[in-house]
Amino acid sequence: MKNRLRILRAEREWSQQELADRLHVSRQTVNSIENGRYDPTLPLAFRIARVFEQPIETIFEDEA
Amino acid sequence: MSIPADSTAIRPRVLLKVLIGAAIYVAAVRFLMWFVENHPDSRWRIPAVVAPIAATGILVAAAMLNARGMDERDLRVHLEALAFGFLASLVFVTTYSFLWLAGVVSMQFELLSIPMVIFWILGLGVALWRYR
């Protein structure tokens, strides 16, 4: 699954650690999601959407 | 393959504690086996035999408490590591048992925990690399 996490984070000038703290996950988890190596669960995807104040479908894109 | 220092999936200090604990456990079990074999009439025989079970229980409780503090990616990493560790251990124990039945190796039950820990660490390394 593709995502715009890195772009949205860069727009806000947040570090991976800052975003991780807001999402209550480890920095490594943010890194894995940004690299597309880990797809977050629905609850975490909703938390990401709330943090960036955007609908989920504008952040995550299904590759299928 | 490098293990991220800030991941909650594995902290080098925790891994070191696990390895030291495993070494102490094996040494203690070997001592208890020596004690049981050489003191067949001792009243401490049965407590000595069941003592490792208590240690294993503490290990399980510590692992479960540690897992509760992990985030979802790290739980996934450990799930895959444990799945690999369990299945690889199953293959190892089955093979070892057949070799024992054939008289190729001698059975040393207390040493079976060592390959289990090694397979878990291998699985952990692979899962951490996959979700790096």
Side-chain angles (χ1 to χ4, degrees):
Chain A
M1 191 184 291
K2 284 182 184 173
N3 68 74
R4 297 176 55 237
L5 216 62
R6 195 185 297 274
I7 298 164
L8 293 168
R9 183 173 62 76
E11 283 173 1
R12 286 156 182 77
E13 297 180 345
W14 291 344
S15 66
Q16 284 188 339
Q17 188 60 58
E18 278 180 272
L19 178 57
D21 291 343
R22 288 169 193 265
L23 295 170
H24 305 293
V25 295
S26 67
R27 187 200 64 79
Q28 202 57 36
T29 297
V30 170
N31 188 55
S32 297
I33 297 170
E34 284 187 358
N35 290 334
R37 296 192 184 277
Y38 176 71
D39 291 331
T41 60
L42 209 49
L44 179 55
F46 272 109
R47 284 214 301 277
I48 292 168
R50 272 199 296 274
V51 162
F52 288 119
E53 297 175 326
Q54 293 198 16
I56 284 183
E57 61 269 25
T58 63
I59 303 172
F60 297 97
E61 183 187 332
D62 190 8
E63 288 176 300
Chain B
M1 189 185 303
S2 64
I3 296 173
D6 63 340
S7 171
T8 57
I10 187 69
R11 298 181 182 95
R13 258 195 314 184
V14 173
L15 186 61
L16 186 65
K17 283 180 185 172
V18 168
L19 291 175
I20 291 171
I24 292 171
Y25 178 78
V26 169
V29 169
R30 288 202 72 86
F31 169 75
L32 291 171
M33 287 186 70
W34 168 85
F35 178 82
V36 169
E37 283 169 11
N38 290 282
H39 299 84
D41 300 323
S42 171
R43 64 192 174 106
W44 292 102
R45 200 166 176 265
I46 292 175
V49 169
V50 297
I53 298 169
T56 309
I58 292 168
L59 181 71
V60 170
M64 294 309 293
L65 282 172
N66 190 45
R68 285 181 194 162
M70 293 179 186
D71 68 19
E72 59 177 57
R73 168 196 166 271
D74 294 340
L75 284 172
R76 171 78 68 89
V77 165
H78 274 287
L79 176 68
E80 292 190 12
L82 286 171
F84 176 81
F86 173 75
L87 294 171
S89 297
L90 184 69
V91 171
F92 176 83
V93 169
T94 308
T95 308
Y96 193 80
S97 301
F98 281 122
L99 288 172
W100 173 69
L101 281 172
V104 179
V105 295
S106 61
M107 187 58 92
Q108 289 180 288
F109 289 103
E110 78 277 12
L111 294 181
L112 291 179
S113 58
I114 294 173
M116 286 174 75
V117 172
I118 291 170
F119 287 134
W120 167 67
I121 291 171
L122 268 176
L124 196 58
V126 171
L128 282 169
W129 178 79
R130 187 176 174 194
Y131 297 112
R132 64 191 182 277

